[in-house]
Amino acid sequence: MSSQSTTSTIAAAADRLASAAATGVPCAPVRDLIGRDDLEAAYAVQRRLAELREAAGATVVGRKIGLTSEAVQQQLGVDQPDLGLLFDDMQYGDGEVIPVARLLQPRVEAEVAFVLGADLVDGPLDAAQVRGAIEYAVAALEICDSRIAAWDISFGDTVADNASAGLYVLGTQRRTLDEVEPAEVVMEMAVDGHQVSTGVGTACLGDPVAAVGWLARTARDLGQPLRAGQVVLSGALGPMKPVAAGNAVTATLSGLGAVTARFQ
């Protein structure tokens, strides 16, 4: 952590983001407090916000991986993904209506999600171990959200803001890795029936399973390893798109079926 990031600046950054979430009014970026790319400080803010949510009764049920696209990494001037926490109150069912009042500036992206059947704590956490720990894959929509006004984010801002996590929806077709190869998945996403985003599995760090490997190692390094039963949103397969009340978003992923979110 850089010398400019102290306990008080981390607390101030967390308070700013928590206030935006509570009031529904986006805030100024927090990079004035913690810097643009101080990873340790940014994750310290994320941890503090997570502690506040857990104190209010929420439970961590998984992780999301962000910034898996090379284009987005270049845009933010970074060379690595980031991670955020998924809480039990963030999941909606396939086709369920999502109240936009829960969100500030929602943008939706389609991805492959995984549910783990084994802990990823000990061992090399290499490709073979990660594949063996995945119980199944499903199609997913991640509804990203930023507490920071106009999505004016640096790497530090998005990490601090729980990797710009909002809500998520999982599809119902569960497939093992013997049944589907995530790197070969082809994705199409439509808003109100109009195609707005396309992509392929290789867009996610070359292979969504490789993204889970990165996550497993990083989560362990941060002292919060992945556990059996947790959900992993592995990263976007194509561009994210803004949504508003009245929109219906459907993503179709080859081998994994379709998943829909409706907003009101």
Side-chain angles (χ1 to χ4, degrees), residues 11-155:
D15 288 348
R16 186 182 295 177
L17 291 165
S19 176
T23 62
V25 179
C27 63
V30 294
R31 53 183 177 267
D32 62 315
L33 296 167
I34 62 167
R36 297 183 66 90
D37 48 21
D38 184 340
L39 218 65
E40 195 181 338
Y43 278 115
V45 176
Q46 187 185 115
R47 274 196 305 278
R48 186 177 174 90
L49 286 166
E51 287 162 5
L52 292 172
R53 285 187 78 156
E54 288 174 310
T59 303
V60 174
V61 295
R63 303 286 198 292
K64 65 152 287 184
I65 310 171
L67 309 182
T68 51
S69 137
E70 204 174 309
V72 177
Q73 288 185 10
Q74 287 171 355
Q75 185 187 336
L76 291 181
V78 297
D79 61 357
Q80 60 180 310
D82 68 349
L83 67 89
L85 297 163
L86 300 179
F87 293 91
D88 56 347
D89 60 355
M90 291 167 62
Q91 184 175 349
Y92 280 79
D94 188 9
E96 201 175 339
V97 172
I98 295 170
V100 291
R102 284 201 62 185
L103 301 154
L104 281 72
Q105 313 173 84
R107 297 178 177 183
V108 179
E109 58 190 30
E111 46 201 88
V112 179
F114 300 98
V115 173
L116 300 178
D119 292 348
L120 284 169
V121 179
D122 302 314
L125 303 183
D126 57 12
Q129 184 181 355
V130 169
R131 286 186 75 93
I134 291 171
E135 187 174 341
Y136 60 86
V138 291
L141 289 171
E142 182 183 355
I143 299 121
C144 301
D145 200 12
S146 182
R147 271 52 65 176
I148 292 164
W151 280 86
D152 176 17
I153 55 174
S154 68
F155 189 53

Side-chain angles (χ1 to χ4, degrees), residues 161-186:
D161 189 24
N162 197 28
S164 303
L167 307 170
Y168 67 98
V169 182
L170 300 184
T172 56
Q173 292 191 32
R174 300 176 175 185
R175 298 286 181 264
T176 69
L177 296 190
D178 291 331
E179 297 172 309
V180 68
E181 189 52 65
E184 296 171 3
V185 165
V186 177

